[in-house]
Amino acid sequence: MQSTRRSFMKRMGLSLLGAATMPLACAAPKKQPNFIIFISDDVSWNDIGAYGHPHIKTPNIDRMAKEGVKFTNAFLTISSCSPSRCSIMTGRYPHSTSAGELHMPLPSDQVVFAGLLKNAGYYTASSGKWHMGEAAKVNFDRIEDGHPSGCEYWEQVVQERPKDQPFFMWFASFDAHRGYEENCIPNPHKPEDVIVPPFLPDNAETRKDLALYYDEISRLDSYMGKVFKLLKDQGELDNTFMLFLGDNGRPFPRCKTRLYDSGIQTPFIIRYPALVQANSVRDNLVSSVDIAPTILELAGLDASPSFQGKSFVAMLKKDSTSIRDYVFAEHNWHDYQAHERSARNKKYLYIRNSFPQFNGNPPADAVRSITYRKMLELQDQGNLSPGQQDCFISPRPKEELYDIIQDPNSFKNLVGNQKYANVLAKMRSALDDWIKQTDDKIPDKPTPDKFHRQTGKKL
């Protein structure tokens, strides 16, 4: 960290001694960029107006897309809350952080990019959901909570920041995590506003559940609008790199914790007028593990040798620049025993399951939802389509391969189809290389189920 700080001060034309006695903002030959990451809880990429949803109310996120760049092939490293956030903060894949399972605290020896910014003179603050353990708190000057949305202190944190320092803020909502309450926004979404994905049954229960989920996304969006206004009033809006994304897919069957696009693909919108042309769209592959090196490069700092991601700064400047051919993701323990790995390029998704004897349950809170309880009833009656039966299948395939262009919902497994034998071999090889490079291993003593798979009750 100290070498990174010296590198930063050298760029700023300061000695370390001078930096200790002179405010960074006054001494800098040019104004340093600020950074804000808005990270939503359990929000899928296509449940945002900017990504084509015709009814959901997200005017401020949509504004970010109009004034910035929207990525249409952005993916997370895991579809699980705390491991996803720890992965973003360290620029490392979840199994490499030693916090790859739900609720595991990030160890103190992990390099956190917020801490590198802090050591280099940035004011760092987190507000909302804290899901990285006690040791990681040293990387932030201020940490606030907030309920029920998690966004309640965002304005206050921006308002009370030191005005003589550039800042990094981690604004992490609880929205749209379960449980839900009615009328959490002034104009709630109606069941008829809902777009039911084909892997969920279209009925009154599902529509009510999704409408309440939409409401929480809109509540999050409203707080983002307040932050935008405050930054504009402070004259910092256009000097602030703002990123909006989710930590995993919606908390519904075949979404959260799963390695299909419904679990791993994320909204990924950046507003930063100094570099990004308004109303831009990028279809280049990008991973959440790439955020840490990107932000450090924009701050004029060296990336940590511990980072496993790649900076996508060049991609922000022009859409022809690609930084990766594949994105990789994992599924570890999240309420239930699991170990899955995936490789995805622009056309194909490959999944490998180490424990195929288990079904693909959603998380325990989703098992307790009105959507899943109705699905159990429909399953007993034989009234679910094949795609809707996915979470009940046991045993599951050891390998899965999907043509995402032709089959965006990953319903047709192509493993065993000789027409795709070469594709399968290529995807296997890509995943094998990643496993070797990141020293990934199947656990000898995997964490067992801690909730009942059909009732969601704690064991």
Side-chain angles (χ1 to χ4, degrees), residues 325-328 341-345 348-352 399-401 415 420-438 440:
D325 297 319
Y326 296 92
V327 291
F328 302 94
R341 300 295 185 257
S342 69
R344 191 195 190 285
N345 57 25
Y348 295 102
L349 168 65
Y350 170 68
I351 300 173
R352 185 180 297 167
E399 293 183 295
E400 301 172 59
L401 177 68
V415 172
Y420 295 91
N422 290 337
V423 173
L424 179 60
K426 185 177 180 180
M427 300 300 286
R428 282 172 174 165
S429 178
L431 185 61
D432 287 339
D433 289 345
W434 175 78
I435 288 172
K436 183 177 180 180
Q437 291 167 7
T438 62
D440 188 21

Side-chain angles (χ1 to χ4, degrees), residues 88-200:
I88 293 168
M89 274 292 174
T90 60
R92 294 172 65 77
Y93 291 99
H95 67 268
S96 297
T97 68
S98 299
E101 296 184 356
L102 183 65
H103 301 315
M104 277 186 168
L106 192 64
S108 59
D109 62 352
Q110 291 290 315
V111 177
V112 173
F113 82 81
L116 298 180
L117 291 172
K118 180 182 176 182
N119 287 348
Y122 272 78
Y123 176 76
T124 58
S126 171
S127 183
K129 184 173 184 176
W130 181 262
H131 217 179
M132 293 177 280
E134 287 297 315
K137 290 183 177 180
V138 70
N139 298 285
F140 291 86
D141 293 299
R142 180 175 180 177
I143 297 174
E144 295 287 352
D145 195 351
H147 286 282
S149 175
C151 313
E152 286 80 2
Y153 288 98
W154 289 4
E155 285 181 282
Q156 183 177 335
V157 170
V158 174
Q159 185 65 53
E160 296 177 355
R161 65 180 174 83
K163 302 303 189 292
D164 60 347
Q165 288 178 262
F167 60 82
F168 166 72
M169 293 178 180
W170 174 258
F171 284 164
S173 72
F174 286 98
D175 294 335
H177 195 286
R178 295 181 183 274
Y180 301 139
E181 59 179 295
E182 296 187 18
N183 301 311
C184 76
I185 59 173
N187 297 300
H189 295 85
K190 299 176 182 178
E192 54 265 33
D193 295 329
V194 165
I195 305 297
V196 180
F199 47 79
L200 296 177

Side-chain angles (χ1 to χ4, degrees), residues 395-451:
R396 298 190 58 78
K398 293 182 180 180
E399 293 183 295
E400 301 172 59
L401 177 68
Y402 301 99
D403 183 333
I404 298 299
I405 305 301
Q406 300 298 321
D407 179 23
N409 292 296
S410 299
F411 284 158
K412 187 176 181 181
N413 188 0
L414 301 174
V415 172
N417 186 329
Q418 287 304 306
K419 179 181 176 182
Y420 295 91
N422 290 337
V423 173
L424 179 60
K426 185 177 180 180
M427 300 300 286
R428 282 172 174 165
S429 178
L431 185 61
D432 287 339
D433 289 345
W434 175 78
I435 288 172
K436 183 177 180 180
Q437 291 167 7
T438 62
D439 195 27
D440 188 21
K441 294 179 175 64
I442 301 171
D444 295 328
K445 296 180 179 180
T447 304
D449 290 4
K450 294 187 179 179
F451 293 83

